Amino acid sequence: MCGIVGYIGPKKALPILISSLERLEYRGYDSSGIACISEKGDRGVYTIKEQGKLGRLKSKLNGALLDGHVGIGHTRWATHGEPSERNAHPHQDCSKKFALVHNGIIENYAELKHELQRKGHHFRSETDTEVAVHLIEEYFERCRNVFEAFQKAVIRMQGFFAFVLTTSHDPDAIYVFKRSNPLVIGVGNGENFVASDAPAILSYTNRMIYLDDNEMARVTADRTEVFRLGEKNPRRKPVVRIKWNMRQAEKDGFPHFMLKEIHEQPQVVDTILKERLRGNRIFFDSISKKTEKRLSRISKIHLVSCGTAYHAGLVGKYMLSECARLPVDASVSSEFRYEDPVVDERDLVIFITQSGETADTLAALRAAKEKKAFTLAIVNVVGSTIAREADCVIYTHAGPEIGVASTKAYLAQLTVLALFALYLGKLRGKLSSGQMREYINWLLKLPRQIEETLRQDKAVKQCARKLYTKRNFLYLGRGYNFPNALEGALKLKEITYAHAHGYAAGEMKHGPIALIDSEQPVICISPAAKTYEKMISNIQEIEARKGIVVSVATVGDQTIKKLSRFLFLIPETKEMLSSILAVIPLQLFAYYVAVFNKRDVDQPRNLAKSVTVE
């Protein structure tokens, strides 16, 4: 959840650390801090920390340009210990010769802390992180070798974490370790960088080394040596070039990243289609003939994911059932990993994640692999842990998504799922060439239709202005748009802090109808579909009880127009693709309700972009 950066090279470290942390603040904004190796005297370690957002740390620095050329930085999402200056990273040992930043959780920290306190170590914070730096100090006092001390300390610690360490005992190096939390090394010319996410350092280099789990590295200005934990000889690691540019991670004139990312959706979908369509054939470069053969023999599909990606999985369940005619389950990762899932080598398990680092999804992937299931990851971030560990990966290539509330990543996931469902249906002989042509023709219309839907911006904004003071919202949908009811409600909760609940519309009479009165807004997702008449009945029941009906409907729908207080229109499309269009007004509605409530849209309270701890 937290953001980590590091720099070593000929430049002043501080400006690079601050600018890199600014690009990672979506990962945590409870507190922040930096540590640099001084160029003076004994080259000691100095730290500066502050509670709250990064702006407060910058004010504390007050324009100071400290002299260090080696440094690390951190922006925190609190797990152990309240958000405060003393709990902020970096943390130091008793001698203040070491400074360490950390993402993740040390599960046996209490036991280690008690042991270290008995040996005379004094702790200043409530965090599990401080245990790590004292443990490194303890081992260093015995062996007088930083690499050996770091390695021995990591072996003692249980849990999932990424560490970055700097020390005056080896002032020309940074030490890093990764286990189930993201960490990337940026390769420069006579300088090197470390970050928990590539966008943090992309303005400095697009060449990255991705660490695998239980790998540690010693990074100097001109060299990076990577070691497997417990090994003494370095291993070769490929350098990966990031294809997207830094401008994609900027606001580009929009007031918030979220709004920018909503408006990037036509281009995202267009890019996916151009990359994956070859005439009337769907092409996945990562799927080999051997993989195709295995996919043709699968007997069941499981979709596993968290949050917004789980809602994409629910839509994917409908898509795969329709096209491939296979039994399909969709599960929340945190449930799947603990339920001892009934899967074997005949099953396909699809893991959907924007970051490729989601802790519960990664654990679920490993559980599925232990049971010999075939695993496929649908991931945005190239080189991420889940992308590397799955048997096969399909990248969404949505570009960097900075806003905590996911928008364009969701649309990218839906588009890839639609393509994969069609691909699998054709592979299994469940779709004819004529059916494939029809679906693909509708897919090719999507980028323009998304642009048309975004033109509802003004109508959505007017509706939000009327309803932004309401504190309870109900979202209803059926079939392909039941998951969008969940997603629309989630978006509103995330960034406005209003209560919102998504429901299958057929369940309305089984409880939620009790909520309906003249103060209750109900968002009804009602495009043309086989359940359209049933949605009309639901809307009539709401209208009869004087509920505030806000509808998403297909262009030209006069019936729903008459029944609705507010109406957002989407172009006509195949029912299977309707969820890709229908979610856009819901994204815009959540955004404008948040703006009118003066919420922090891109960095909502208590949330971070990548959930890398359980």
Side-chain angles (χ1 to χ4, degrees):
M1 307 275 255
C2 305
I4 290 173
V5 297
Y7 173 77
I8 184 165
K11 301 185 181 81
K12 300 282 189 182
L14 183 61
I16 294 170
L17 296 175
I18 294 297
S19 69
S20 299
L21 285 176
E22 285 175 331
R23 301 188 193 284
L24 282 184
E25 200 171 8
Y26 62 88
R27 281 185 169 270
Y29 27 90
D30 292 335
S31 60
S32 58
I34 59 102
C36 287
I37 301 290
S38 174
E39 294 295 301
K40 299 172 183 176
D42 64 353
R43 301 195 67 184
V45 182
Y46 57 81
T47 62
I48 301 175
K49 306 192 288 186
E50 183 59 276
Q51 181 182 351
K53 292 195 174 183
L54 188 61
R56 294 186 64 177
L57 179 67
K58 290 169 68 177
S59 297
K60 192 171 186 177
L61 289 164
N62 196 27
L65 191 61
L66 303 174
D67 64 344
H69 291 73
V70 181
I72 59 177
H74 189 270
T75 182
R76 182 174 185 244
W77 189 87
T79 54
H80 295 73
E82 65 180 5
S84 67
E85 184 177 338
R86 71 190 179 99
N87 287 332
H89 300 215
H91 288 286
Q92 291 190 268
D93 63 313
C94 295
S95 70
K96 297 197 174 180
K97 299 287 187 181
F98 292 93
L100 179 136
V101 294
H102 164 218
N103 181 14
I105 291 177
I106 303 167
E107 293 174 349
N108 61 334
Y109 85 98
E111 170 194 332
L112 292 171
K113 185 174 182 178
H114 183 62
E115 174 189 320
L116 289 163
Q117 284 174 324
R118 287 201 321 267
K119 292 178 178 179
H121 288 264
H122 175 67
F123 286 79
R124 304 176 184 89
S125 76
E126 304 166 297
T127 68
D128 56 339
T129 306
E130 195 181 354
V131 168
V133 73
H134 283 281
L135 192 59
I136 294 165
E137 178 191 28
E138 179 68 21
Y139 280 113
F140 180 79
E141 290 301 317
R142 301 179 196 178
C143 68
R144 307 307 294 179
N145 180 284
V146 176
F147 181 87
E148 186 179 340
F150 189 34
Q151 185 165 238
K152 285 183 175 180
V154 166
I155 290 169
R156 289 287 312 279
M157 288 181 275
Q158 299 168 10
F160 305 96
F161 33 72
F163 294 131
V164 179
L165 174 78
T166 188
T167 174
S168 58
H169 293 299
D170 189 2
D172 296 314
I174 292 173
Y175 291 82
V176 304
F177 175 81
K178 176 196 183 301
R179 181 187 294 158
S180 295
N181 279 264
L183 206 60
V184 61
I185 298 169
V187 180
N189 296 315
E191 59 184 357
N192 284 310
F193 308 83
V194 179
S196 49
D197 205 354
I201 53 178
L202 195 58
S203 58
Y204 302 105
T205 181
N206 69 343
R207 295 185 296 154
M208 308 290 170
I209 297 172
Y210 289 93
L211 296 181
D212 292 316
D213 277 1
N214 291 314
E215 285 185 338
M216 57 191 303
R218 182 177 184 269
V219 183
T220 64
D222 54 11
R223 189 176 185 185
T224 294
E225 290 182 305
V226 179
F227 302 82
R228 183 77 180 170
L229 187 63
E231 295 178 357
K232 293 183 178 179
N233 296 320
R235 50 176 46 196
R236 289 181 177 273
K237 297 291 291 186
V239 177
V240 178
R241 287 187 181 272
I242 301 294
K243 293 180 179 179
W244 42 269
N245 58 54
M246 199 58 238
R247 185 175 177 184
Q248 290 175 271
E250 303 288 354
K251 289 182 183 175
D252 206 21
F254 286 88
H256 298 96
F257 279 112
M258 182 179 178
L259 187 61
K260 173 182 178 272
E261 288 156 5
I262 290 171
H263 281 270
E264 286 176 340
Q265 291 177 133
Q267 183 58 52
V268 167
V269 173
D270 186 58
T271 298
I272 293 169
L273 296 176
K274 285 177 177 173
E275 188 172 273
R276 302 299 182 191
L277 292 178
R278 303 286 189 273
N280 289 317
R281 188 170 72 90
I282 295 169
F283 171 76
F284 294 107
D285 55 353
S286 57
I287 297 181
S288 64
K289 290 294 182 184
K290 183 180 178 181
T291 298
E292 269 194 350
K293 191 173 181 180
R294 185 160 185 183
L295 289 173
S296 69
R297 296 198 301 261
I298 60 172
S299 59
K300 187 173 181 179
I301 301 172
H302 306 259
L303 294 140
V304 181
S305 41
C306 300
T308 287
Y310 169 63
H311 301 153
L314 288 172
V315 177
K317 175 181 176 180
Y318 288 100
M319 291 174 169
L320 287 158
S321 297
E322 177 178 326
C323 297
R325 305 308 300 156
L326 279 166
V328 186
D329 279 344
S331 301
V332 176
S333 303
S334 55
E335 293 296 313
F336 183 89
R337 67 179 287 193
Y338 288 117
E339 68 185 15
D340 190 18
V342 182
V343 297
D344 58 32
E345 66 277 0
R346 296 167 298 174
D347 292 358
L348 169 66
V349 189
I350 301 174
F351 298 89
I352 310 167
T353 162
Q354 190 283 134
S355 69
E357 304 289 352
T358 310
D360 285 315
T361 305
L362 178 58
L365 166 66
R366 290 169 176 168
K369 287 177 74 71
E370 284 178 7
K371 293 174 179 288
K372 310 302 182 187
F374 187 68
T375 57
L376 168 68
I378 296 176
V379 180
N380 188 34
V381 179
V382 175
S384 53
T385 304
I386 290 172
R388 295 198 307 274
E389 292 196 13
D391 295 313
C392 186
V393 60
I394 299 173
Y395 287 113
T396 56
H397 294 308
E401 187 176 66
I402 307 301
V404 166
S406 180
T407 52
K408 68 175 181 176
Y410 180 65
L411 239 65
Q413 290 162 355
L414 294 184
T415 305
V416 167
L417 283 164
L419 288 166
F420 183 73
L422 293 169
Y423 168 86
L424 195 59
K426 189 71 167 65
L427 181 67
R428 290 173 50 79
K430 303 300 181 182
L431 291 175
S432 68
S433 296
Q435 288 173 309
M436 283 291 286
R437 278 195 299 273
E438 182 186 1
Y439 277 111
I440 287 171
N441 286 338
W442 281 109
L443 277 166
L444 290 170
K445 294 177 183 178
L446 278 176
R448 176 181 52 79
Q449 291 183 321
I450 295 168
E451 288 177 349
E452 290 178 29
T453 306
L454 285 168
R455 294 188 194 116
Q456 294 289 299
D457 183 280
K458 186 176 180 181
V460 176
K461 188 174 183 179
Q462 289 174 343
C463 174
R465 192 185 299 276
K466 295 284 188 182
L467 300 179
Y468 79 93
T469 58
K470 303 291 184 185
R471 305 313 302 151
N472 293 283
F473 294 79
L474 181 63
Y475 286 71
L476 299 177
R478 287 177 182 259
Y480 280 102
N481 281 294
F482 159 53
N484 270 346
L486 301 177
E487 175 63 9
L490 176 62
K491 284 291 150 288
L492 199 77
K493 281 182 280 199
E494 283 179 310
I495 62 172
T496 75
Y497 319 145
H499 175 262
H501 204 122
Y503 247 91
E507 289 289 288
M508 189 177 76
K509 288 191 287 292
H510 296 271
I513 200 167
L515 297 171
I516 307 301
D517 60 19
S518 61
E519 294 297 313
Q520 178 66 57
V522 186
I523 291 82
C524 302
I525 311 164
S526 317
K530 60 178 172 283
T531 55
Y532 173 79
E533 296 298 333
K534 302 298 182 184
M535 281 301 301
I536 292 292
S537 296
N538 290 134
I539 294 170
Q540 287 171 332
E541 289 163 352
I542 297 161
E543 201 265 345
R545 289 159 180 81
K546 303 190 185 308
I548 303 169
V549 176
V550 181
S551 295
V552 178
T554 303
V555 168
D557 191 326
Q558 295 301 312
T559 303
I560 289 183
K561 183 178 181 180
K562 290 174 184 175
L563 292 169
S564 304
R565 190 92 57 96
F566 302 96
L567 180 65
F568 313 138
L569 298 171
I570 65 170
E572 179 187 0
T573 189
K574 269 293 230 192
E575 183 177 356
M576 189 178 93
L577 304 178
S578 64
S579 54
I580 295 173
L581 299 175
V583 75
I584 295 168
L586 309 183
Q587 295 170 342
L588 289 168
F589 181 70
Y591 172 77
Y592 283 118
V593 171
V595 169
F596 289 131
N597 277 293
K598 295 181 169 52
R599 305 302 191 206
D600 191 337
V601 173
D602 289 332
Q603 297 175 357
R605 69 187 182 197
N606 303 334
L607 296 177
K609 184 65 178 172
S610 298
V611 182
T612 56
V613 295
E614 187 179 352

